[in-house]
Amino acid sequence: MTDSAKSGATPLEGDGKRILMIIGSPKSDSLCHSLAEAYALGARTEGHVVRQMRLSEMSFDPVLHEGYSQSQTLEPDLLEAQRQIHWAQHLVFVYPVWWGGLPAQLKGFFDRVLLPGFAFKYRSDSQLWDKLLSGRTADLLVTLDTPRWYFHWIYGAPAHRQMKRTILGFCGIRTRRLETFSPVRPSSENQRQNWIRRAELLGSRA
């Protein structure tokens, strides 16, 4: 977690939208981190308040050992994550797609943080539920090695559907934009710089 998130402040705070960025790549020097920094720069330029949480710097057990049948004590970093999510009006998730899905640490983060009573609440004697994080929006910045058309038409974009519908949508968070940066592996330095400039533009339109 960055110092700004720990302290509840950020070096540049304006009067704009409250934005929380959650960076789900375990690699500190990844393209995801460059995209996140560019998005934050664009958003702060427009006066938005941006805080960042880097899962690679957080300490928590990503395994929900007993599901919802037993309570599992939340580590301090996860309690802080819940506070930051409540604070935010807009969430930005930056992560790679691996094996067609989310990185294990990001999936574990969702398992541990988006709990009943915080993110949703089942209704008694009903198949329906209350979406406790409604009113928030999200942008997704996603990197993958697979070409976009192949990931969508051949694989069915499973990671995108999971994030938009069965994770964020289930809790009431509306995905506003999903930006895919691919294919990463054969990309040139010029292409990556173009992607970084694109991320900054997206941030300026947060």
Side-chain angles (χ1 to χ4, degrees):
M1 190 188 322
T2 62
D3 290 340
S4 60
K6 289 180 179 178
S7 66
T10 182
L12 296 174
E13 291 206 353
D15 298 323
K17 189 177 298 182
R18 300 190 303 273
I19 299 174
L20 175 64
M21 303 191 72
I22 296 175
I23 305 170
S25 174
K27 296 176 59 179
S28 60
D29 60 346
S30 68
L31 175 60
C32 285
H33 285 81
S34 297
L35 295 172
E37 291 300 328
Y39 186 105
L41 176 62
R44 286 172 174 151
T45 299
E46 297 300 316
H48 300 304
V49 182
V50 183
R51 300 179 182 176
Q52 293 186 0
M53 304 192 79
R54 300 184 180 189
L55 299 193
S56 62
E57 299 177 3
M58 297 171 62
S59 178
F60 65 94
D61 182 353
V63 179
L64 186 63
H65 291 275
E66 302 295 335
Y68 298 147
S69 62
Q70 294 184 25
S71 176
Q72 186 171 335
T73 301
L74 288 174
E75 294 86 343
D77 280 351
L78 296 186
L79 289 171
E80 179 64 16
Q82 288 187 337
R83 285 191 288 268
Q84 295 293 336
I85 291 171
H86 264 308
W87 166 85
Q89 297 169 304
H90 182 64
L91 301 164
V92 183
F93 296 93
V94 191
Y95 57 94
V97 166
W98 291 346
W99 291 106
L102 307 180
Q105 192 175 26
L106 180 58
K107 178 57 169 58
F109 174 82
F110 289 133
D111 287 346
R112 295 293 316 283
V113 169
L114 300 181
L115 298 173
F118 171 76
F120 65 94
K121 181 180 179 182
Y122 289 123
R123 299 177 184 175
S124 300
D125 302 320
S126 174
Q127 295 297 311
L128 300 179
W129 67 99
D130 296 320
K131 301 178 180 182
L132 302 183
L133 298 179
S134 294
R136 293 167 178 81
T137 56
D139 283 348
L140 312 181
L141 278 60
V142 186
T143 65
L144 65 158
D145 287 333
T146 307
R148 280 178 289 182
W149 69 268
Y150 197 95
F151 188 69
H152 180 79
W153 293 109
I154 305 302
Y155 291 153
H160 297 346
R161 290 187 286 110
Q162 181 185 29
M163 276 293 289
K164 292 174 62 177
R165 299 179 184 178
T166 62
I167 296 179
L168 301 181
F170 187 89
C171 303
I173 302 170
R174 179 178 62 84
T175 299
R176 191 180 61 180
R177 292 179 300 195
L178 192 160
E179 191 78 12
T180 302
F181 302 88
S182 74
V184 172
R185 186 173 56 84
S187 64
S188 65
E189 178 61 26
N190 183 62
Q191 178 64 73
R192 295 188 181 205
Q193 290 302 316
N194 287 336
W195 287 340
I196 289 170
R197 286 191 289 270
R198 174 62 179 167
E200 184 176 346
L201 178 62
L202 291 172
S204 69
R205 298 174 177 175

